[in-house]
Amino acid sequence: MSANDISADDAGFLADAAALGHSAEKIASLDTPALLRLSIEDLFAGKIALVSSFGADSAVLLHMVAQIDKALPVLFLDTGVLFPETLAYRDRLIKFLDLRNVISIPPKKDRLATEDPETFLWSSNPDRCCAIRKVLPLAEALKGFDAWITGRKRFQSSTRRSLPLFEAEEKRIKINPLANWSAAQILGYLHAHDLPRHELVAKGYPSIGCVPCTSRVRPGEDPRAGRWRGAAKVECGLHTQPLTGVALQAAALAEEPLS
Protein backbone atom coordinates (compact mmCIF):
# COMPACT_ATOMS: atom_id res chain seq x y z
CA MET A 1 0.00 0.00 0.00
CA SER A 2 1.19 3.52 -0.78
CA ALA A 3 0.18 6.88 0.62
CA ASN A 4 -1.99 7.35 -2.48
CA ASP A 5 -4.19 4.49 -1.30
CA ILE A 6 -5.14 6.35 1.89
CA SER A 7 -8.31 8.35 1.36
CA ALA A 8 -9.44 11.52 3.11
CA ASP A 9 -11.98 9.37 4.95
CA ASP A 10 -9.14 7.90 6.96
CA ALA A 11 -8.83 11.23 8.76
CA GLY A 12 -12.28 10.59 10.21
CA PHE A 13 -10.73 8.76 13.14
CA LEU A 14 -10.16 12.12 14.90
CA ALA A 15 -12.95 11.61 17.43
CA ASP A 16 -13.67 7.89 17.09
CA ALA A 17 -11.45 5.35 18.83
CA ALA A 18 -12.96 2.42 16.89
CA ALA A 19 -12.35 4.11 13.56
CA LEU A 20 -8.87 4.99 14.77
CA GLY A 21 -8.00 1.32 15.09
CA HIS A 22 -9.29 0.50 11.59
CA SER A 23 -7.50 3.43 9.97
CA ALA A 24 -4.28 2.72 11.83
CA GLU A 25 -4.33 -0.83 10.46
CA LYS A 26 -4.58 0.53 6.91
CA ILE A 27 -1.82 3.08 7.43
CA ALA A 28 0.53 0.77 9.35
CA SER A 29 1.76 -0.80 6.12
CA LEU A 30 3.37 2.50 5.06
CA ASP A 31 7.05 2.96 5.81
CA THR A 32 7.82 5.58 8.45
CA PRO A 33 8.79 8.48 6.14
CA ALA A 34 5.64 7.91 4.05
CA LEU A 35 3.48 7.80 7.17
CA LEU A 36 5.00 11.06 8.37
CA ARG A 37 4.50 12.73 5.00
CA LEU A 38 0.87 11.61 4.89
CA SER A 39 0.26 12.93 8.39
CA ILE A 40 2.05 16.25 7.85
CA GLU A 41 0.93 17.09 4.31
CA ASP A 42 -2.53 15.54 4.12
CA LEU A 43 -4.28 14.23 7.21
CA PHE A 44 -3.33 17.09 9.54
CA ALA A 45 -1.92 19.75 7.21
CA GLY A 46 -1.14 22.93 9.17
CA LYS A 47 -2.46 21.39 12.39
CA ILE A 48 0.35 19.08 13.48
CA ALA A 49 3.53 19.52 15.53
CA LEU A 50 6.49 17.37 16.47
CA VAL A 51 7.33 17.33 20.17
CA SER A 52 11.04 16.66 20.63
CA SER A 53 13.26 16.43 23.69
CA PHE A 54 16.41 16.69 21.53
CA GLY A 55 17.49 13.64 23.48
CA ALA A 56 19.54 10.53 22.80
CA ASP A 57 18.03 9.50 19.45
CA SER A 58 15.84 12.50 18.61
CA ALA A 59 17.89 13.16 15.47
CA VAL A 60 16.18 10.24 13.68
CA LEU A 61 12.68 11.72 13.74
CA LEU A 62 13.91 15.28 13.31
CA HIS A 63 15.86 14.23 10.21
CA MET A 64 12.80 12.52 8.70
CA VAL A 65 10.62 15.56 9.36
CA ALA A 66 13.23 17.92 7.92
CA GLN A 67 13.01 16.03 4.60
CA ILE A 68 9.29 16.80 4.49
CA ASP A 69 8.89 20.28 5.99
CA LYS A 70 11.72 22.18 7.64
CA ALA A 71 9.19 24.71 8.94
CA LEU A 72 7.01 22.18 10.76
CA PRO A 73 6.52 23.36 14.36
CA VAL A 74 8.92 21.49 16.65
CA LEU A 75 8.00 21.98 20.30
CA PHE A 76 10.86 21.74 22.79
CA LEU A 77 10.16 21.78 26.53
CA ASP A 78 12.94 23.81 28.12
CA THR A 79 12.28 22.86 31.73
CA GLY A 80 15.02 25.08 33.16
CA VAL A 81 16.85 22.07 34.61
CA LEU A 82 18.08 20.35 31.45
CA PHE A 83 21.65 19.25 30.87
CA PRO A 84 23.77 21.92 29.15
CA GLU A 85 24.66 19.18 26.66
CA THR A 86 20.98 18.90 25.67
CA LEU A 87 20.71 22.61 24.95
CA ALA A 88 23.91 22.46 22.93
CA TYR A 89 22.62 19.41 21.02
CA ARG A 90 19.36 21.23 20.25
CA ASP A 91 21.27 24.14 18.77
CA ARG A 92 23.55 21.83 16.81
CA LEU A 93 20.67 19.86 15.29
CA ILE A 94 18.75 23.02 14.40
CA LYS A 95 21.73 24.15 12.35
CA PHE A 96 22.64 20.72 10.96
CA LEU A 97 19.07 19.94 9.78
CA ASP A 98 18.14 23.54 8.93
CA LEU A 99 15.08 23.38 11.21
CA ARG A 100 13.20 26.66 10.87
CA ASN A 101 10.45 26.53 13.48
CA VAL A 102 11.78 25.11 16.75
CA ILE A 103 9.78 26.62 19.59
CA SER A 104 11.29 26.47 23.08
CA ILE A 105 8.60 26.30 25.75
CA PRO A 106 9.61 27.23 29.31
CA PRO A 107 7.46 26.72 32.42
CA LYS A 108 5.49 29.73 33.58
CA LYS A 109 7.54 31.95 35.87
CA ASP A 110 4.69 32.59 38.28
CA ARG A 111 4.11 28.84 38.66
CA LEU A 112 7.78 28.28 39.46
CA ALA A 113 7.85 31.19 41.88
CA THR A 114 4.84 29.81 43.73
CA GLU A 115 5.56 26.07 43.68
CA ASP A 116 9.30 25.66 43.14
CA PRO A 117 11.16 28.84 44.10
CA GLU A 118 14.29 26.93 45.14
CA THR A 119 14.26 24.49 42.19
CA PHE A 120 14.02 21.56 44.57
CA LEU A 121 10.48 20.31 43.97
CA TRP A 122 11.88 17.32 42.07
CA SER A 123 13.09 15.91 45.39
CA SER A 124 9.84 16.13 47.35
CA ASN A 125 7.23 15.81 44.60
CA PRO A 126 8.63 14.75 41.22
CA ASP A 127 5.17 14.30 39.70
CA ARG A 128 4.27 17.91 40.40
CA CYS A 129 7.67 19.06 39.21
CA CYS A 130 7.05 17.36 35.86
CA ALA A 131 3.54 18.79 35.78
CA ILE A 132 4.58 22.42 36.07
CA ARG A 133 7.73 22.13 33.95
CA LYS A 134 6.51 19.82 31.17
CA VAL A 135 2.88 18.66 31.18
CA LEU A 136 1.07 21.97 31.65
CA PRO A 137 3.40 23.96 29.34
CA LEU A 138 2.96 21.38 26.56
CA ALA A 139 -0.81 21.25 27.03
CA GLU A 140 -0.95 25.00 26.56
CA ALA A 141 1.41 24.91 23.56
CA LEU A 142 -0.65 22.22 21.79
CA LYS A 143 -3.84 24.28 21.75
CA GLY A 144 -4.86 24.70 18.12
CA PHE A 145 -3.17 21.50 16.93
CA ASP A 146 -5.17 18.44 15.85
CA ALA A 147 -2.23 16.05 16.13
CA TRP A 148 1.25 15.73 17.55
CA ILE A 149 4.19 13.44 16.85
CA THR A 150 6.26 11.73 19.54
CA GLY A 151 9.50 9.74 19.40
CA ARG A 152 8.45 6.98 21.80
CA LYS A 153 9.42 3.39 21.00
CA ARG A 154 8.30 0.04 22.40
CA PHE A 155 11.78 -1.20 23.23
CA GLN A 156 12.49 1.69 25.60
CA SER A 157 10.75 0.25 28.66
CA SER A 158 8.22 -2.30 29.86
CA THR A 159 5.56 0.42 30.11
CA ARG A 160 5.85 1.09 26.36
CA ARG A 161 5.81 -2.46 25.00
CA SER A 162 2.25 -2.20 23.67
CA LEU A 163 2.64 1.32 22.32
CA PRO A 164 0.29 1.82 19.32
CA LEU A 165 1.07 3.71 16.14
CA PHE A 166 -1.83 6.10 16.73
CA GLU A 167 -3.55 7.14 19.95
CA ALA A 168 -6.74 9.13 20.38
CA GLU A 169 -6.56 11.96 22.94
CA GLU A 170 -10.18 13.05 22.97
CA LYS A 171 -10.31 15.10 19.72
CA ARG A 172 -6.56 15.14 19.18
CA ILE A 173 -4.39 12.38 17.69
CA LYS A 174 -0.98 11.38 18.98
CA ILE A 175 1.30 9.67 16.45
CA ASN A 176 4.17 7.38 17.45
CA PRO A 177 5.84 6.72 14.06
CA LEU A 178 8.87 4.95 15.58
CA ALA A 179 6.81 2.72 17.88
CA ASN A 180 7.93 -0.56 16.31
CA TRP A 181 11.52 0.45 15.55
CA SER A 182 14.26 -1.53 17.29
CA ALA A 183 17.34 -0.11 18.95
CA ALA A 184 19.39 -1.53 16.07
CA GLN A 185 17.21 0.25 13.50
CA ILE A 186 17.61 3.55 15.34
CA LEU A 187 21.38 3.15 15.47
CA GLY A 188 21.48 2.09 11.83
CA TYR A 189 19.55 5.18 10.74
CA LEU A 190 21.81 7.48 12.75
CA HIS A 191 24.89 5.95 11.11
CA ALA A 192 23.40 5.79 7.61
CA HIS A 193 22.66 9.52 7.63
CA ASP A 194 25.74 10.50 9.63
CA LEU A 195 23.63 12.32 12.20
CA PRO A 196 25.19 14.07 15.20
CA ARG A 197 24.84 12.28 18.54
CA HIS A 198 23.97 13.68 21.92
CA GLU A 199 27.20 13.99 23.88
CA LEU A 200 25.81 12.15 26.92
CA VAL A 201 24.96 8.94 25.03
CA ALA A 202 28.62 7.88 24.98
CA LYS A 203 28.74 8.51 28.74
CA GLY A 204 26.02 5.96 29.56
CA TYR A 205 22.82 7.97 29.14
CA PRO A 206 20.56 6.28 26.54
CA SER A 207 17.57 8.28 27.82
CA ILE A 208 18.08 11.89 28.84
CA GLY A 209 15.71 14.08 30.82
CA CYS A 210 16.29 16.74 33.46
CA VAL A 211 19.55 16.82 35.42
CA PRO A 212 18.20 15.93 38.89
CA CYS A 213 16.19 12.94 37.67
CA THR A 214 18.52 11.32 35.11
CA SER A 215 21.32 8.88 35.89
CA ARG A 216 23.52 6.51 33.93
CA VAL A 217 22.05 3.19 32.82
CA ARG A 218 23.76 -0.06 33.72
CA PRO A 219 24.38 -2.84 31.17
CA GLY A 220 21.25 -4.95 30.66
CA GLU A 221 18.82 -2.35 32.02
CA ASP A 222 15.96 -0.78 30.07
CA PRO A 223 17.11 2.36 28.26
CA ARG A 224 14.87 4.41 30.55
CA ALA A 225 16.05 2.80 33.79
CA GLY A 226 18.08 5.90 34.60
CA ARG A 227 15.02 8.12 34.76
CA TRP A 228 13.76 8.79 38.32
CA ARG A 229 15.94 5.97 39.62
CA GLY A 230 14.83 4.64 42.98
CA ALA A 231 11.31 6.03 42.63
CA ALA A 232 8.09 4.38 41.52
CA LYS A 233 7.76 7.04 38.83
CA VAL A 234 8.49 5.87 35.26
CA GLU A 235 6.88 8.57 33.08
CA CYS A 236 6.87 12.35 33.25
CA GLY A 237 3.11 12.57 32.68
CA LEU A 238 3.07 13.74 29.07
CA HIS A 239 1.72 10.38 27.98
CA THR A 240 -0.33 9.22 30.95
CA GLN A 241 -3.46 11.27 30.25
CA PRO A 242 -4.88 13.38 27.41
CA LEU A 243 -3.39 16.87 27.30
CA THR A 244 -6.86 18.33 26.83
CA GLY A 245 -10.10 18.80 28.70
CA VAL A 246 -11.41 19.75 32.08
CA ALA A 247 -9.14 17.35 34.00
CA LEU A 248 -6.04 19.15 32.75
CA GLN A 249 -7.50 22.57 33.56
CA ALA A 250 -8.10 21.36 37.10
CA ALA A 251 -4.56 19.97 37.28
CA ALA A 252 -3.18 23.41 36.48
CA LEU A 253 -4.58 24.69 39.75
CA ALA A 254 -4.23 21.58 41.89
CA GLU A 255 -1.50 21.06 44.44
CA GLU A 256 -1.72 17.30 43.95
CA PRO A 257 0.40 15.54 41.29
CA LEU A 258 -1.14 14.56 37.97
CA SER A 259 -2.29 10.95 37.72
Coordinates of all heavy atoms in Angstrom, one line a residue, residues 15 56 86 103 109 117-118 120 123 126-127 129 131 149-150 159 165 171 177 182 198 206 221 232:
A15 N -12.2 11.7 16.2 CA -13.0 11.6 17.4 C -13.6 10.2 17.7 O -14.5 10.1 18.5 CB -14.1 12.7 17.4
A56 N 18.5 11.5 23.3 CA 19.5 10.5 22.8 C 19.4 10.2 21.3 O 20.4 10.1 20.6 CB 19.5 9.3 23.7
T86 N 22.2 19.0 26.4 CA 21.0 18.9 25.7 C 20.7 20.2 24.9 O 20.3 20.2 23.8 CB 19.8 18.5 26.6 OG1 20.0 17.2 27.2 CG2 18.5 18.6 25.9
I103 N 10.4 25.7 18.6 CA 9.8 26.6 19.6 C 10.1 26.1 21.0 O 9.7 25.0 21.4 CB 8.3 26.7 19.4 CG1 7.9 27.1 18.0 CG2 7.6 27.6 20.4 CD1 6.4 26.9 17.6
K109 N 6.7 31.4 34.8 CA 7.5 31.9 35.9 C 6.7 32.1 37.2 O 7.3 31.8 38.3 CB 8.1 33.3 35.5 CG 9.2 33.2 34.4 CD 9.8 34.6 34.1 CE 10.8 34.5 33.0 NZ 11.4 35.9 32.7
P117 N 10.3 27.7 44.1 CA 11.2 28.8 44.1 C 12.6 28.5 44.3 O 13.5 29.2 43.8 CB 10.6 29.7 45.3 CG 10.0 28.7 46.2 CD 9.3 27.7 45.3
E118 N 12.9 27.3 44.9 CA 14.3 26.9 45.1 C 14.8 25.8 44.2 O 15.8 25.3 44.4 CB 14.5 26.5 46.6 CG 14.2 27.6 47.6 CD 14.3 27.1 49.0 OE1 14.4 25.9 49.3 OE2 14.3 27.9 49.9
F120 N 13.8 22.8 43.8 CA 14.0 21.6 44.6 C 12.8 20.7 44.7 O 12.7 19.7 45.4 CB 14.6 21.9 46.0 CG 15.5 20.8 46.5 CD1 16.7 20.5 45.9 CD2 15.1 20.1 47.6 CE1 17.5 19.5 46.4 CE2 15.9 19.1 48.2 CZ 17.1 18.8 47.5
S123 N 12.7 16.8 44.3 CA 13.1 15.9 45.4 C 11.9 15.5 46.2 O 11.8 14.3 46.6 CB 14.1 16.6 46.3 OG 14.5 15.8 47.4
P126 N 8.2 14.8 42.6 CA 8.6 14.7 41.2 C 7.5 14.8 40.2 O 7.6 15.3 39.1 CB 9.4 13.4 41.1 CG 9.0 12.6 42.2 CD 8.7 13.6 43.3
D127 N 6.3 14.2 40.6 CA 5.2 14.3 39.7 C 4.7 15.7 39.5 O 4.5 16.2 38.3 CB 4.0 13.5 40.3 CG 4.2 12.0 40.1 OD1 4.9 11.6 39.2 OD2 3.6 11.3 40.9
C129 N 6.6 18.4 39.9 CA 7.7 19.1 39.2 C 7.5 18.9 37.7 O 7.6 19.8 36.9 CB 9.0 18.5 39.7 SG 10.4 19.4 39.0
A131 N 4.8 18.2 36.2 CA 3.5 18.8 35.8 C 3.8 20.3 35.4 O 3.3 20.7 34.4 CB 2.5 18.6 36.9
I149 N 3.3 14.6 17.1 CA 4.2 13.4 16.9 C 5.1 13.3 18.0 O 5.7 14.2 18.5 CB 5.0 13.7 15.6 CG1 4.0 14.0 14.4 CG2 5.9 12.5 15.3 CD1 4.8 14.6 13.2
T150 N 5.3 12.0 18.5 CA 6.3 11.7 19.5 C 7.3 10.8 19.0 O 7.2 10.1 18.0 CB 5.6 11.1 20.8 OG1 5.6 9.6 20.6 CG2 4.1 11.6 20.9
T159 N 6.8 -0.3 30.2 CA 5.6 0.4 30.1 C 5.2 0.8 28.7 O 4.1 1.3 28.5 CB 5.6 1.7 31.0 OG1 6.7 2.5 30.6 CG2 5.8 1.3 32.5
L165 N 0.6 2.7 17.1 CA 1.1 3.7 16.1 C 0.3 5.0 16.3 O 0.9 6.1 16.2 CB 0.9 3.2 14.7 CG 1.6 3.8 13.6 CD1 3.1 3.8 13.8 CD2 1.2 3.2 12.3
K171 N -10.2 14.7 21.1 CA -10.3 15.1 19.7 C -8.9 15.4 19.1 O -8.9 16.0 18.0 CB -11.2 16.3 19.6 CG -12.7 16.0 19.9 CD -13.6 17.2 19.6 CE -15.0 16.9 19.8 NZ -15.6 15.9 18.9
P177 N 5.4 7.4 15.3 CA 5.8 6.7 14.1 C 7.0 5.7 14.2 O 7.2 4.9 13.4 CB 6.3 7.9 13.2 CG 6.5 9.0 14.1 CD 5.6 8.8 15.3
S182 N 13.4 -0.9 16.3 CA 14.3 -1.5 17.3 C 15.4 -0.6 17.6 O 15.7 0.4 16.8 CB 14.8 -2.9 16.8 OG 15.6 -2.6 15.6
H198 N 24.0 13.0 20.6 CA 24.0 13.7 21.9 C 25.2 13.3 22.7 O 25.5 12.1 22.8 CB 22.7 13.3 22.7 CG 22.4 14.2 23.9 ND1 23.3 14.4 24.9 CD2 21.3 15.0 24.1 CE1 22.7 15.2 25.8 NE2 21.5 15.6 25.4
P206 N 21.4 6.5 27.7 CA 20.6 6.3 26.5 C 19.2 7.0 26.6 O 18.5 7.0 25.5 CB 20.4 4.8 26.6 CG 20.5 4.4 28.0 CD 21.4 5.4 28.6
E221 N 20.0 -3.0 31.6 CA 18.8 -2.4 32.0 C 18.0 -1.8 30.8 O 18.6 -1.6 29.8 CB 19.2 -1.2 33.0 CG 19.7 -1.6 34.3 CD 19.9 -0.4 35.2 OE1 20.5 0.6 34.8 OE2 19.5 -0.5 36.4
A232 N 9.1 5.2 42.2 CA 8.1 4.4 41.5 C 7.7 5.0 40.2 O 7.2 4.4 39.3 CB 6.8 4.2 42.4

